[in-house]
Amino acid sequence: MSNKSKSTQAFHLFKIGKKPIDIAIELDLPESEVYDLQQEFYALNQLYDLSLVCMELKHDFDPFVMLFEILKKIGC
């Protein structure tokens, strides 16, 4: 797949469940570029709300995950 663009390769890796760190290492991309490609991947998959949440949170997902776990426990 190395004859494809790095963005296409990244989209494929996101699609098969690779983590951003793995994509950065495999494609030799900086974190900011992987983050931008991840946002594009979400948009391409019509995950607009998730893309917006990620942009708002930047990289501080811990409070969001904690809130999610609390909401799951109370049945929301």
Side-chain angles (χ1 to χ4, degrees):
M1 186 175 14
S2 62
N3 61 341
K4 305 242 181 200
S5 71
K6 286 193 176 189
S7 60
T8 298
Q9 291 178 60
F11 294 149
H12 173 73
L13 293 171
F14 281 123
K15 186 175 181 179
I16 63 171
K18 293 284 186 173
K19 295 179 180 179
I21 185 69
D22 298 323
I23 295 168
I25 293 167
E26 187 169 331
L27 300 180
D28 191 28
L29 294 172
E31 176 269 339
S32 60
E33 192 169 340
V34 173
Y35 180 78
D36 290 344
L37 289 167
Q38 187 177 40
Q39 297 309 303
E40 287 183 46
F41 176 77
Y42 291 154
L44 287 168
N45 282 286
Q46 298 181 347
L47 300 172
Y48 305 115
D49 292 339
L50 181 57
S51 180
L52 291 173
V53 167
C54 290
M55 287 189 317
E56 281 289 319
L57 293 174
K58 301 285 184 218
H59 302 287
D60 191 18
F61 285 94
D62 290 341
F64 183 77
V65 172
M66 288 172 50
L67 174 62
F68 175 74
E69 292 297 325
I70 291 168
L71 292 173
K72 269 188 359 185
K73 285 181 185 175
I74 63 172
C76 289

